[in-house]
Amino acid sequence: MIVTDQQQHLTGVAYRMLGTMADAEDAVQETFARWYRLTEAERAAIDRPAAWLTRVVSRVCLDVLGSARARRERYVGEWLPEPVPADAVDDPAERAALGDSVGLALLVVLETLTPAERVVFVLHEVFAVPFGEISQAVGRSPAACRQLATSARRRVDAARADAPAPARRDAVVRAFAAACAGGDLGALVALLDPDVVLRSDGGGLVSAARNPVRGAVHVARFLLGLLAKNPGVVLEEVTTGDGVGYGWRDEGGMRGVLTLGVAGDRPTDVWIVLNPEKLTRWG
């Protein structure tokens, strides 16, 4: 096996664990560095290099997640995971690795898990890694890993409980975009969940709301005000891991990606990623 053949798989694992492609790519490079620091005899003694690499990248991610809280406290404004376009590449296997099966909605939920819960959930629920192997990655017994997986699955399932079917979800998102484009405050307020929350991530590099915007009226006013202040911006339908989303594009290129969390027939969360460092894959 050529070790670098595992790069897309490892990147997919690390992206789900860490939430940004830059962090995922760093974790994969560190994993390869550890592989090549082994002697030839040590590498030859590894029966399943792919499993070894997955275990090591998981350990690297666990270490990164352990320090993430301190890094997030220094982050300017709200932090959101990085959205990855589901149709960015032609190869279905590569699309799966990079995130066509995971969207911002899931990544936001994963952010609420402990580092160990997140690693165990991704390895077991997404990549079907046995608990015996997971235990070597996280330094806990297989039984403890099962408990972590159960706890994580319970929280993820609760967040997904009211999620509509994909087609219905996309219809709600398109209705939301039409209401925004129409500029009708009343229509947009009526469409939103009364307790909707908007978060925008500029990373201190571009203007964004420093704190969450809460409530249908406040969110609607924020969105319409944002569009009014940027008349050159065009809402462009894009395909994200969540389904339909919208890019904020002007003559200079993609300025932001917007996607929604939907429960029933209403948007409950609005996520706008404006940080240019998280938009590099959008052209």
Side-chain angles (χ1 to χ4, degrees), residues 117 120 131 141-154:
E117 284 177 331
V120 170
F131 286 120
S141 69
C145 290
R146 288 191 185 90
Q147 292 179 337
L148 289 169
T150 298
S151 173
R153 191 185 312 115
R154 186 181 300 117

Side-chain angles (χ1 to χ4, degrees), residues 164-249:
R168 180 57 191 159
R169 181 250 172 217
D170 288 351
V172 171
V173 175
R174 291 188 174 108
F176 164 88
C180 287
D184 187 330
L185 178 64
L188 185 54
V189 170
L191 182 71
L192 296 169
D193 185 274
D195 298 320
V196 64
V197 179
L198 178 149
R199 293 178 173 86
S200 58
D201 176 349
L205 302 176
V206 297
S207 179
R210 292 292 185 94
N211 298 300
V213 181
R214 302 180 184 276
V217 173
H218 295 297
V219 168
R221 286 177 175 165
F222 179 90
L223 288 165
L224 296 183
L226 190 61
L227 290 172
K229 293 176 184 177
N230 297 275
V233 168
V234 176
L235 287 179
E236 171 187 291
E237 185 171 305
V238 296
T239 305
T240 73
D242 296 293
V244 168
Y246 283 87
W248 300 65
R249 185 181 291 277

